[in-house]
Amino acid sequence: AGFWGSEFDVNMTSDGVLIVYHDSDVDGKKIEQYPYSEFKDVKIENGEVIPTIDMYLEQGKKYPETMLVYELKPHSCEEVEDRFVELAIENLKQHGLYDPERVMFISFSLYMCEKIAAEHPQFMVQFLGSNMSPEKVAELGINGVDYHHLVFTLNRRWYKVARKHNMSVNAWTVNKEGNMKRMLKLGVDQLTTDNPLQARALMETMKMTELK
């Protein structure tokens, strides 16, 4: 559909296979505690198997204009998250996608956001947690925030604080028109939404230019 970006969630199995799956468990099995063999034949709602990151990135490479918004799901400890980040970066390099023009990172794990920001500073990294102000996030060297849209209502200064620190600003998950309009008027860089066509139509009525 020609949207600016596509967000996807990644978990790591116990044997170091990265799979694109939103939840931390599949049929009650914690993904990081089981090998990939436990999940490779599981079917998702559309009848396909759970994609590995290799499968997903091969598809993403077909759309070079689309930013791949890579969410690293939190794991149990720093040691596991270290391995997760290392494998994620190695995998992007293997696919020719280690490129800040093609990929950005988001995570609820402050540790992984810090790690990527320190070791790969050319990339956009947005912290998803709502328990830390943009000022504190910026002090850790992280260059973006991605808050639930209600956070900007409860903490009205945070948008301006983020801009003061030259941070990118995203809002999730913005599915209702009223909330979309509020975030667009606020001036966020991106909307994470399950209803992108609705957001596109709203932006047209508001005479706002959509990034392509």
Side-chain angles (χ1 to χ4, degrees), residues 33-81:
Q33 295 176 355
Y34 289 84
Y36 175 62
S37 59
E38 293 289 326
F39 309 112
K40 67 181 183 65
D41 297 321
V42 174
K43 299 294 178 65
I44 53 179
E45 289 183 6
N46 66 357
E48 297 177 359
V49 296
I50 298 172
T52 64
I53 191 63
D54 293 301
M55 295 164 63
Y56 192 92
L57 294 181
E58 280 301 308
Q59 188 69 17
K61 285 162 68 174
K62 298 176 183 179
Y63 301 90
E65 301 303 317
T66 303
M67 175 67 76
L68 301 177
V69 184
Y70 195 131
E71 180 174 348
L72 298 95
K73 304 299 278 192
H75 284 59
S76 58
C77 64
E78 292 180 1
E79 181 180 6
V80 173
E81 291 191 338

mmCIF file of all heavy atoms in Angstrom, residues 33-81:
data_model
loop_
_atom_site.group_PDB
_atom_site.id
_atom_site.type_symbol
_atom_site.label_atom_id
_atom_site.label_comp_id
_atom_site.label_asym_id
_atom_site.label_seq_id
_atom_site.Cartn_x
_atom_site.Cartn_y
_atom_site.Cartn_z
ATOM 1 N N GLN A 33 12.441 -20.439 25.889
ATOM 2 C CA GLN A 33 12.766 -21.644 26.652
ATOM 3 C C GLN A 33 12.713 -22.922 25.833
ATOM 4 O O GLN A 33 13.043 -23.997 26.334
ATOM 5 C CB GLN A 33 11.822 -21.773 27.851
ATOM 6 C CG GLN A 33 11.982 -20.658 28.866
ATOM 7 C CD GLN A 33 10.979 -20.743 30.004
ATOM 8 O OE1 GLN A 33 10.077 -21.593 30.005
ATOM 9 N NE2 GLN A 33 11.128 -19.869 30.986
ATOM 10 N N TYR A 34 12.310 -22.821 24.574
ATOM 11 C CA TYR A 34 12.173 -23.999 23.728
ATOM 12 C C TYR A 34 12.904 -23.788 22.405
ATOM 13 O O TYR A 34 13.017 -22.663 21.917
ATOM 14 C CB TYR A 34 10.692 -24.283 23.428
ATOM 15 C CG TYR A 34 9.907 -24.781 24.609
ATOM 16 C CD1 TYR A 34 9.354 -23.891 25.527
ATOM 17 C CD2 TYR A 34 9.714 -26.148 24.823
ATOM 18 C CE1 TYR A 34 8.620 -24.335 26.616
ATOM 19 C CE2 TYR A 34 8.982 -26.613 25.901
ATOM 20 C CZ TYR A 34 8.435 -25.705 26.797
ATOM 21 O OH TYR A 34 7.720 -26.153 27.886
ATOM 22 N N PRO A 35 13.390 -24.888 21.792
ATOM 23 C CA PRO A 35 14.069 -24.763 20.497
ATOM 24 C C PRO A 35 13.063 -24.485 19.383
ATOM 25 O O PRO A 35 11.858 -24.706 19.529
ATOM 26 C CB PRO A 35 14.738 -26.123 20.315
ATOM 27 C CG PRO A 35 13.867 -27.072 21.083
ATOM 28 C CD PRO A 35 13.397 -26.284 22.289
ATOM 29 N N TYR A 36 13.577 -24.049 18.261
ATOM 30 C CA TYR A 36 12.733 -23.709 17.124
ATOM 31 C C TYR A 36 11.892 -24.893 16.650
ATOM 32 O O TYR A 36 10.777 -24.718 16.151
ATOM 33 C CB TYR A 36 13.612 -23.192 15.980
ATOM 34 C CG TYR A 36 12.847 -22.926 14.708
ATOM 35 C CD1 TYR A 36 11.833 -21.974 14.667
ATOM 36 C CD2 TYR A 36 13.146 -23.636 13.541
ATOM 37 C CE1 TYR A 36 11.125 -21.729 13.492
ATOM 38 C CE2 TYR A 36 12.442 -23.396 12.366
ATOM 39 C CZ TYR A 36 11.434 -22.450 12.349
ATOM 40 O OH TYR A 36 10.744 -22.208 11.190
ATOM 41 N N SER A 37 12.407 -26.100 16.828
ATOM 42 C CA SER A 37 11.671 -27.288 16.384
ATOM 43 C C SER A 37 10.288 -27.380 17.002
ATOM 44 O O SER A 37 9.381 -28.004 16.433
ATOM 45 C CB SER A 37 12.471 -28.559 16.701
ATOM 46 O OG SER A 37 12.729 -28.660 18.103
ATOM 47 N N GLU A 38 10.102 -26.775 18.178
ATOM 48 C CA GLU A 38 8.796 -26.794 18.842
ATOM 49 C C GLU A 38 7.776 -25.881 18.163
ATOM 50 O O GLU A 38 6.566 -26.008 18.391
ATOM 51 C CB GLU A 38 8.948 -26.372 20.301
ATOM 52 C CG GLU A 38 9.717 -27.343 21.159
ATOM 53 C CD GLU A 38 8.933 -28.621 21.435
ATOM 54 O OE1 GLU A 38 7.694 -28.543 21.548
ATOM 55 O OE2 GLU A 38 9.561 -29.691 21.529
ATOM 56 N N PHE A 39 8.255 -24.955 17.349
ATOM 57 C CA PHE A 39 7.363 -23.943 16.782
ATOM 58 C C PHE A 39 7.292 -23.945 15.251
ATOM 59 O O PHE A 39 6.430 -23.292 14.683
ATOM 60 C CB PHE A 39 7.812 -22.544 17.236
ATOM 61 C CG PHE A 39 8.009 -22.418 18.716
ATOM 62 C CD1 PHE A 39 9.284 -22.224 19.246
ATOM 63 C CD2 PHE A 39 6.940 -22.519 19.588
ATOM 64 C CE1 PHE A 39 9.484 -22.105 20.614
ATOM 65 C CE2 PHE A 39 7.123 -22.410 20.960
ATOM 66 C CZ PHE A 39 8.394 -22.199 21.472
ATOM 67 N N LYS A 40 8.187 -24.679 14.597
ATOM 68 C CA LYS A 40 8.326 -24.549 13.141
ATOM 69 C C LYS A 40 7.091 -25.000 12.375
ATOM 70 O O LYS A 40 6.867 -24.550 11.235
ATOM 71 C CB LYS A 40 9.559 -25.300 12.642
ATOM 72 C CG LYS A 40 9.503 -26.809 12.758
ATOM 73 C CD LYS A 40 10.797 -27.431 12.265
ATOM 74 C CE LYS A 40 10.744 -28.950 12.300
ATOM 75 N NZ LYS A 40 9.733 -29.503 11.351
ATOM 76 N N ASP A 41 6.267 -25.874 12.977
ATOM 77 C CA ASP A 41 5.085 -26.358 12.266
ATOM 78 C C ASP A 41 3.791 -25.720 12.762
ATOM 79 O O ASP A 41 2.708 -26.058 12.269
ATOM 80 C CB ASP A 41 4.980 -27.886 12.406
ATOM 81 C CG ASP A 41 6.157 -28.601 11.760
ATOM 82 O OD1 ASP A 41 6.606 -28.157 10.684
ATOM 83 O OD2 ASP A 41 6.634 -29.596 12.339
ATOM 84 N N VAL A 42 3.899 -24.801 13.717
ATOM 85 C CA VAL A 42 2.711 -24.128 14.243
ATOM 86 C C VAL A 42 2.160 -23.178 13.185
ATOM 87 O O VAL A 42 2.905 -22.389 12.593
ATOM 88 C CB VAL A 42 3.043 -23.357 15.539
ATOM 89 C CG1 VAL A 42 1.824 -22.537 16.005
ATOM 90 C CG2 VAL A 42 3.483 -24.322 16.634
ATOM 91 N N LYS A 43 0.857 -23.243 12.969
ATOM 92 C CA LYS A 43 0.224 -22.389 11.967
ATOM 93 C C LYS A 43 -0.398 -21.149 12.636
ATOM 94 O O LYS A 43 -0.988 -21.243 13.710
ATOM 95 C CB LYS A 43 -0.867 -23.154 11.222
ATOM 96 C CG LYS A 43 -0.367 -24.374 10.454
ATOM 97 C CD LYS A 43 0.546 -23.989 9.311
ATOM 98 C CE LYS A 43 1.082 -25.206 8.577
ATOM 99 N NZ LYS A 43 0.031 -25.979 7.889
ATOM 100 N N ILE A 44 -0.242 -20.006 11.988
ATOM 101 C CA ILE A 44 -0.882 -18.790 12.460
ATOM 102 C C ILE A 44 -2.255 -18.673 11.791
ATOM 103 O O ILE A 44 -2.659 -19.554 11.038
ATOM 104 C CB ILE A 44 -0.001 -17.551 12.197
ATOM 105 C CG1 ILE A 44 0.423 -17.466 10.729
ATOM 106 C CG2 ILE A 44 1.233 -17.597 13.078
ATOM 107 C CD1 ILE A 44 1.276 -16.242 10.401
ATOM 108 N N GLU A 45 -2.983 -17.599 12.067
ATOM 109 C CA GLU A 45 -4.390 -17.520 11.677
ATOM 110 C C GLU A 45 -4.623 -17.661 10.175
ATOM 111 O O GLU A 45 -5.656 -18.176 9.746
ATOM 112 C CB GLU A 45 -4.992 -16.201 12.169
ATOM 113 C CG GLU A 45 -5.181 -16.160 13.681
ATOM 114 C CD GLU A 45 -5.853 -14.872 14.139
ATOM 115 O OE1 GLU A 45 -6.268 -14.079 13.265
ATOM 116 O OE2 GLU A 45 -5.955 -14.673 15.362
ATOM 117 N N ASN A 46 -3.678 -17.198 9.367
ATOM 118 C CA ASN A 46 -3.896 -17.268 7.915
ATOM 119 C C ASN A 46 -3.447 -18.594 7.309
ATOM 120 O O ASN A 46 -3.446 -18.761 6.087
ATOM 121 C CB ASN A 46 -3.183 -16.104 7.210
ATOM 122 C CG ASN A 46 -1.667 -16.192 7.309
ATOM 123 O OD1 ASN A 46 -1.130 -17.084 7.942
ATOM 124 N ND2 ASN A 46 -0.986 -15.249 6.685
ATOM 125 N N GLY A 47 -3.060 -19.542 8.177
ATOM 126 C CA GLY A 47 -2.681 -20.866 7.699
ATOM 127 C C GLY A 47 -1.212 -21.037 7.398
ATOM 128 O O GLY A 47 -0.764 -22.152 7.089
ATOM 129 N N GLU A 48 -0.436 -19.960 7.481
ATOM 130 C CA GLU A 48 1.002 -20.050 7.244
ATOM 131 C C GLU A 48 1.721 -20.423 8.544
ATOM 132 O O GLU A 48 1.191 -20.259 9.638
ATOM 133 C CB GLU A 48 1.538 -18.710 6.728
ATOM 134 C CG GLU A 48 0.961 -18.286 5.390
ATOM 135 C CD GLU A 48 1.452 -16.921 4.951
ATOM 136 O OE1 GLU A 48 2.232 -16.295 5.706
ATOM 137 O OE2 GLU A 48 1.066 -16.475 3.859
ATOM 138 N N VAL A 49 2.953 -20.894 8.401
ATOM 139 C CA VAL A 49 3.763 -21.162 9.590
ATOM 140 C C VAL A 49 4.278 -19.844 10.153
ATOM 141 O O VAL A 49 4.304 -18.823 9.467
ATOM 142 C CB VAL A 49 4.954 -22.097 9.266
ATOM 143 C CG1 VAL A 49 4.451 -23.457 8.816
ATOM 144 C CG2 VAL A 49 5.877 -21.466 8.229
ATOM 145 N N ILE A 50 4.685 -19.868 11.431
ATOM 146 C CA ILE A 50 5.295 -18.689 12.032
ATOM 147 C C ILE A 50 6.569 -18.376 11.264
ATOM 148 O O ILE A 50 7.457 -19.222 11.146
ATOM 149 C CB ILE A 50 5.626 -18.935 13.518
ATOM 150 C CG1 ILE A 50 4.362 -19.226 14.307
ATOM 151 C CG2 ILE A 50 6.367 -17.733 14.111
ATOM 152 C CD1 ILE A 50 4.622 -19.662 15.748
ATOM 153 N N PRO A 51 6.704 -17.179 10.715
ATOM 154 C CA PRO A 51 7.896 -16.885 9.910
ATOM 155 C C PRO A 51 9.147 -16.708 10.764
ATOM 156 O O PRO A 51 9.089 -16.148 11.864
ATOM 157 C CB PRO A 51 7.536 -15.579 9.194
ATOM 158 C CG PRO A 51 6.504 -14.933 10.056
ATOM 159 C CD PRO A 51 5.745 -16.056 10.704
ATOM 160 N N THR A 52 10.253 -17.187 10.249
ATOM 161 C CA THR A 52 11.544 -16.843 10.836
ATOM 162 C C THR A 52 11.899 -15.437 10.373
ATOM 163 O O THR A 52 11.317 -14.912 9.420
ATOM 164 C CB THR A 52 12.641 -17.807 10.384
ATOM 165 O OG1 THR A 52 12.806 -17.670 8.964
ATOM 166 C CG2 THR A 52 12.296 -19.243 10.737
ATOM 167 N N ILE A 53 12.876 -14.831 11.029
ATOM 168 C CA ILE A 53 13.305 -13.499 10.610
ATOM 169 C C ILE A 53 13.857 -13.536 9.184
ATOM 170 O O ILE A 53 13.696 -12.580 8.415
ATOM 171 C CB ILE A 53 14.343 -12.903 11.595
ATOM 172 C CG1 ILE A 53 14.573 -11.413 11.300
ATOM 173 C CG2 ILE A 53 15.637 -13.673 11.556
ATOM 174 C CD1 ILE A 53 13.363 -10.537 11.487
ATOM 175 N N ASP A 54 14.483 -14.652 8.799
ATOM 176 C CA ASP A 54 15.001 -14.772 7.436
ATOM 177 C C ASP A 54 13.867 -14.689 6.418
ATOM 178 O O ASP A 54 13.976 -13.998 5.403
ATOM 179 C CB ASP A 54 15.759 -16.089 7.264
ATOM 180 C CG ASP A 54 17.027 -16.134 8.082
ATOM 181 O OD1 ASP A 54 17.888 -15.268 7.876
ATOM 182 O OD2 ASP A 54 17.153 -17.026 8.932
ATOM 183 N N MET A 55 12.772 -15.385 6.686
ATOM 184 C CA MET A 55 11.620 -15.357 5.798
ATOM 185 C C MET A 55 11.053 -13.942 5.710
ATOM 186 O O MET A 55 10.713 -13.460 4.632
ATOM 187 C CB MET A 55 10.553 -16.331 6.294
ATOM 188 C CG MET A 55 10.969 -17.787 6.259
ATOM 189 S SD MET A 55 9.896 -18.858 7.261
ATOM 190 C CE MET A 55 8.329 -18.662 6.430
ATOM 191 N N TYR A 56 10.959 -13.277 6.859
ATOM 192 C CA TYR A 56 10.369 -11.941 6.893
ATOM 193 C C TYR A 56 11.242 -10.933 6.143
ATOM 194 O O TYR A 56 10.741 -10.124 5.359
ATOM 195 C CB TYR A 56 10.178 -11.487 8.343
ATOM 196 C CG TYR A 56 9.321 -10.255 8.458
ATOM 197 C CD1 TYR A 56 7.950 -10.345 8.645
ATOM 198 C CD2 TYR A 56 9.884 -8.982 8.353
ATOM 199 C CE1 TYR A 56 7.156 -9.210 8.724
ATOM 200 C CE2 TYR A 56 9.108 -7.847 8.436
ATOM 201 C CZ TYR A 56 7.741 -7.967 8.623
ATOM 202 O OH TYR A 56 6.963 -6.843 8.693
ATOM 203 N N LEU A 57 12.536 -10.980 6.386
ATOM 204 C CA LEU A 57 13.427 -10.010 5.749
ATOM 205 C C LEU A 57 13.523 -10.228 4.241
ATOM 206 O O LEU A 57 13.661 -9.270 3.477
ATOM 207 C CB LEU A 57 14.812 -10.059 6.389
ATOM 208 C CG LEU A 57 14.873 -9.603 7.857
ATOM 209 C CD1 LEU A 57 16.307 -9.684 8.372
ATOM 210 C CD2 LEU A 57 14.315 -8.195 8.037
ATOM 211 N N GLU A 58 13.452 -11.479 3.810
ATOM 212 C CA GLU A 58 13.448 -11.740 2.375
ATOM 213 C C GLU A 58 12.237 -11.091 1.726
ATOM 214 O O GLU A 58 12.312 -10.562 0.617
ATOM 215 C CB GLU A 58 13.467 -13.249 2.094
ATOM 216 C CG GLU A 58 14.840 -13.882 2.217
ATOM 217 C CD GLU A 58 15.855 -13.252 1.266
ATOM 218 O OE1 GLU A 58 15.565 -13.153 0.046
ATOM 219 O OE2 GLU A 58 16.930 -12.843 1.738
ATOM 220 N N GLN A 59 11.105 -11.126 2.420
ATOM 221 C CA GLN A 59 9.913 -10.449 1.902
ATOM 222 C C GLN A 59 10.101 -8.932 1.946
ATOM 223 O O GLN A 59 9.751 -8.219 0.996
ATOM 224 C CB GLN A 59 8.683 -10.852 2.730
ATOM 225 C CG GLN A 59 7.359 -10.383 2.183
ATOM 226 C CD GLN A 59 6.967 -11.086 0.897
ATOM 227 O OE1 GLN A 59 7.502 -12.127 0.560
ATOM 228 N NE2 GLN A 59 6.042 -10.491 0.158
ATOM 229 N N GLY A 60 10.671 -8.433 3.064
ATOM 230 C CA GLY A 60 10.888 -7.002 3.208
ATOM 231 C C GLY A 60 11.814 -6.428 2.150
ATOM 232 O O GLY A 60 11.646 -5.274 1.729
ATOM 233 N N LYS A 61 12.764 -7.226 1.703
ATOM 234 C CA LYS A 61 13.709 -6.760 0.691
ATOM 235 C C LYS A 61 13.026 -6.478 -0.639
ATOM 236 O O LYS A 61 13.554 -5.736 -1.472
ATOM 237 C CB LYS A 61 14.817 -7.803 0.502
ATOM 238 C CG LYS A 61 15.834 -7.812 1.629
ATOM 239 C CD LYS A 61 16.657 -9.085 1.669
ATOM 240 C CE LYS A 61 17.585 -9.228 0.499
ATOM 241 N NZ LYS A 61 18.479 -10.408 0.653
ATOM 242 N N LYS A 62 11.840 -7.026 -0.840
ATOM 243 C CA LYS A 62 11.103 -6.793 -2.078
ATOM 244 C C LYS A 62 10.511 -5.388 -2.117
ATOM 245 O O LYS A 62 10.038 -4.949 -3.165
ATOM 246 C CB LYS A 62 9.994 -7.828 -2.233
ATOM 247 C CG LYS A 62 10.489 -9.264 -2.341
ATOM 248 C CD LYS A 62 9.324 -10.235 -2.394
ATOM 249 C CE LYS A 62 9.807 -11.679 -2.429
ATOM 250 N NZ LYS A 62 8.658 -12.630 -2.448
ATOM 251 N N TYR A 63 10.510 -4.703 -0.959
ATOM 252 C CA TYR A 63 9.905 -3.374 -0.858
ATOM 253 C C TYR A 63 10.941 -2.402 -0.304
ATOM 254 O O TYR A 63 10.899 -2.012 0.861
ATOM 255 C CB TYR A 63 8.658 -3.431 0.033
ATOM 256 C CG TYR A 63 7.624 -4.397 -0.493
ATOM 257 C CD1 TYR A 63 7.639 -5.732 -0.106
ATOM 258 C CD2 TYR A 63 6.678 -3.975 -1.422
ATOM 259 C CE1 TYR A 63 6.710 -6.626 -0.616
ATOM 260 C CE2 TYR A 63 5.741 -4.864 -1.938
ATOM 261 C CZ TYR A 63 5.761 -6.193 -1.527
ATOM 262 O OH TYR A 63 4.847 -7.073 -2.051
ATOM 263 N N PRO A 64 11.903 -2.000 -1.139
ATOM 264 C CA PRO A 64 13.035 -1.201 -0.653
ATOM 265 C C PRO A 64 12.653 0.179 -0.135
ATOM 266 O O PRO A 64 13.454 0.812 0.545
ATOM 267 C CB PRO A 64 13.952 -1.109 -1.878
ATOM 268 C CG PRO A 64 13.066 -1.357 -3.055
ATOM 269 C CD PRO A 64 12.045 -2.331 -2.567
ATOM 270 N N GLU A 65 11.445 0.653 -0.444
ATOM 271 C CA GLU A 65 11.026 1.963 0.053
ATOM 272 C C GLU A 65 10.401 1.883 1.445
ATOM 273 O O GLU A 65 10.095 2.914 2.051
ATOM 274 C CB GLU A 65 10.017 2.590 -0.926
ATOM 275 C CG GLU A 65 10.543 2.772 -2.341
ATOM 276 C CD GLU A 65 11.811 3.610 -2.386
ATOM 277 O OE1 GLU A 65 11.859 4.636 -1.674
ATOM 278 O OE2 GLU A 65 12.750 3.247 -3.109
ATOM 279 N N THR A 66 10.188 0.674 1.953
ATOM 280 C CA THR A 66 9.500 0.492 3.232
ATOM 281 C C THR A 66 10.489 0.390 4.379
ATOM 282 O O THR A 66 11.378 -0.474 4.375
ATOM 283 C CB THR A 66 8.633 -0.786 3.208
ATOM 284 O OG1 THR A 66 7.713 -0.702 2.118
ATOM 285 C CG2 THR A 66 7.854 -0.948 4.507
ATOM 286 N N MET A 67 10.340 1.261 5.380
ATOM 287 C CA MET A 67 11.148 1.165 6.591
ATOM 288 C C MET A 67 10.699 -0.058 7.396
ATOM 289 O O MET A 67 9.502 -0.239 7.642
ATOM 290 C CB MET A 67 10.987 2.430 7.439
ATOM 291 C CG MET A 67 11.699 2.389 8.789
ATOM 292 S SD MET A 67 13.513 2.361 8.655
ATOM 293 C CE MET A 67 13.861 4.078 8.225
ATOM 294 N N LEU A 68 11.644 -0.886 7.794
ATOM 295 C CA LEU A 68 11.340 -2.057 8.608
ATOM 296 C C LEU A 68 11.521 -1.682 10.076
ATOM 297 O O LEU A 68 12.635 -1.426 10.526
ATOM 298 C CB LEU A 68 12.255 -3.214 8.214
ATOM 299 C CG LEU A 68 12.163 -3.639 6.740
ATOM 300 C CD1 LEU A 68 13.168 -4.746 6.444
ATOM 301 C CD2 LEU A 68 10.753 -4.080 6.377
ATOM 302 N N VAL A 69 10.411 -1.613 10.784
ATOM 303 C CA VAL A 69 10.409 -1.176 12.188
ATOM 304 C C VAL A 69 10.507 -2.424 13.058
ATOM 305 O O VAL A 69 9.526 -3.105 13.324
ATOM 306 C CB VAL A 69 9.153 -0.346 12.506
ATOM 307 C CG1 VAL A 69 9.222 0.186 13.936
ATOM 308 C CG2 VAL A 69 9.004 0.805 11.517
ATOM 309 N N TYR A 70 11.711 -2.699 13.506
ATOM 310 C CA TYR A 70 12.107 -3.979 14.114
ATOM 311 C C TYR A 70 11.930 -3.899 15.631
ATOM 312 O O TYR A 70 12.695 -3.249 16.321
ATOM 313 C CB TYR A 70 13.568 -4.223 13.751
ATOM 314 C CG TYR A 70 14.133 -5.606 13.948
ATOM 315 C CD1 TYR A 70 14.847 -6.214 12.922
ATOM 316 C CD2 TYR A 70 14.001 -6.284 15.153
ATOM 317 C CE1 TYR A 70 15.412 -7.467 13.082
ATOM 318 C CE2 TYR A 70 14.543 -7.541 15.325
ATOM 319 C CZ TYR A 70 15.241 -8.134 14.283
ATOM 320 O OH TYR A 70 15.795 -9.379 14.445
ATOM 321 N N GLU A 71 10.885 -4.584 16.148
ATOM 322 C CA GLU A 71 10.692 -4.609 17.603
ATOM 323 C C GLU A 71 11.339 -5.853 18.202
ATOM 324 O O GLU A 71 10.975 -6.985 17.864
ATOM 325 C CB GLU A 71 9.220 -4.574 17.996
ATOM 326 C CG GLU A 71 9.056 -4.611 19.517
ATOM 327 C CD GLU A 71 7.639 -4.446 20.023
ATOM 328 O OE1 GLU A 71 6.759 -4.068 19.234
ATOM 329 O OE2 GLU A 71 7.426 -4.701 21.218
ATOM 330 N N LEU A 72 12.276 -5.638 19.109
ATOM 331 C CA LEU A 72 12.906 -6.727 19.843
ATOM 332 C C LEU A 72 12.133 -6.916 21.146
ATOM 333 O O LEU A 72 12.113 -6.044 22.009
ATOM 334 C CB LEU A 72 14.368 -6.414 20.147
ATOM 335 C CG LEU A 72 15.285 -6.229 18.938
ATOM 336 C CD1 LEU A 72 15.408 -4.747 18.593
ATOM 337 C CD2 LEU A 72 16.673 -6.799 19.206
ATOM 338 N N LYS A 73 11.478 -8.052 21.281
ATOM 339 C CA LYS A 73 10.676 -8.305 22.473
ATOM 340 C C LYS A 73 11.599 -8.568 23.675
ATOM 341 O O LYS A 73 12.659 -9.190 23.531
ATOM 342 C CB LYS A 73 9.764 -9.511 22.260
ATOM 343 C CG LYS A 73 8.865 -9.383 21.045
ATOM 344 C CD LYS A 73 7.920 -8.200 21.130
ATOM 345 C CE LYS A 73 6.700 -8.500 21.958
ATOM 346 N NZ LYS A 73 5.644 -7.476 21.812
ATOM 347 N N PRO A 74 11.221 -8.102 24.859
ATOM 348 C CA PRO A 74 12.067 -8.318 26.048
ATOM 349 C C PRO A 74 12.265 -9.803 26.339
ATOM 350 O O PRO A 74 11.357 -10.613 26.129
ATOM 351 C CB PRO A 74 11.262 -7.649 27.170
ATOM 352 C CG PRO A 74 10.380 -6.670 26.484
ATOM 353 C CD PRO A 74 10.030 -7.296 25.164
ATOM 354 N N HIS A 75 13.462 -10.138 26.797
ATOM 355 C CA HIS A 75 13.775 -11.504 27.200
ATOM 356 C C HIS A 75 14.195 -11.519 28.670
ATOM 357 O O HIS A 75 14.213 -10.488 29.327
ATOM 358 C CB HIS A 75 14.816 -12.101 26.256
ATOM 359 C CG HIS A 75 14.238 -12.498 24.922
ATOM 360 N ND1 HIS A 75 13.607 -11.587 24.100
ATOM 361 C CD2 HIS A 75 14.159 -13.694 24.285
ATOM 362 C CE1 HIS A 75 13.162 -12.214 23.015
ATOM 363 N NE2 HIS A 75 13.496 -13.487 23.093
ATOM 364 N N SER A 76 14.541 -12.689 29.174
ATOM 365 C CA SER A 76 14.586 -12.914 30.614
ATOM 366 C C SER A 76 15.742 -12.240 31.347
ATOM 367 O O SER A 76 15.629 -11.929 32.533
ATOM 368 C CB SER A 76 14.630 -14.419 30.892
ATOM 369 O OG SER A 76 15.768 -15.002 30.263
ATOM 370 N N CYS A 77 16.861 -12.002 30.675
ATOM 371 C CA CYS A 77 18.015 -11.432 31.369
ATOM 372 C C CYS A 77 18.935 -10.765 30.354
ATOM 373 O O CYS A 77 18.790 -10.951 29.137
ATOM 374 C CB CYS A 77 18.773 -12.513 32.139
ATOM 375 S SG CYS A 77 19.503 -13.798 31.093
ATOM 376 N N GLU A 78 19.896 -10.008 30.850
ATOM 377 C CA GLU A 78 20.790 -9.272 29.971
ATOM 378 C C GLU A 78 21.631 -10.200 29.103
ATOM 379 O O GLU A 78 21.919 -9.881 27.941
ATOM 380 C CB GLU A 78 21.684 -8.341 30.795
ATOM 381 C CG GLU A 78 20.911 -7.198 31.447
ATOM 382 C CD GLU A 78 21.781 -6.278 32.255
ATOM 383 O OE1 GLU A 78 23.013 -6.509 32.305
ATOM 384 O OE2 GLU A 78 21.250 -5.313 32.839
ATOM 385 N N GLU A 79 22.037 -11.332 29.643
ATOM 386 C CA GLU A 79 22.851 -12.274 28.870
ATOM 387 C C GLU A 79 22.094 -12.759 27.635
ATOM 388 O O GLU A 79 22.650 -12.817 26.528
ATOM 389 C CB GLU A 79 23.238 -13.470 29.740
ATOM 390 C CG GLU A 79 24.116 -14.484 29.025
ATOM 391 C CD GLU A 79 24.479 -15.665 29.902
ATOM 392 O OE1 GLU A 79 23.963 -15.761 31.041
ATOM 393 O OE2 GLU A 79 25.287 -16.501 29.455
ATOM 394 N N VAL A 80 20.823 -13.095 27.818
ATOM 395 C CA VAL A 80 20.002 -13.548 26.696
ATOM 396 C C VAL A 80 19.763 -12.398 25.725
ATOM 397 O O VAL A 80 19.828 -12.577 24.495
ATOM 398 C CB VAL A 80 18.663 -14.121 27.203
ATOM 399 C CG1 VAL A 80 17.723 -14.430 26.034
ATOM 400 C CG2 VAL A 80 18.900 -15.388 28.019
ATOM 401 N N GLU A 81 19.521 -11.191 26.246
ATOM 402 C CA GLU A 81 19.275 -10.045 25.383
ATOM 403 C C GLU A 81 20.528 -9.640 24.610
ATOM 404 O O GLU A 81 20.436 -9.172 23.474
ATOM 405 C CB GLU A 81 18.718 -8.883 26.197
ATOM 406 C CG GLU A 81 17.304 -9.164 26.702
ATOM 407 C CD GLU A 81 16.610 -7.956 27.287
ATOM 408 O OE1 GLU A 81 17.313 -6.993 27.693
ATOM 409 O OE2 GLU A 81 15.377 -7.964 27.359
#
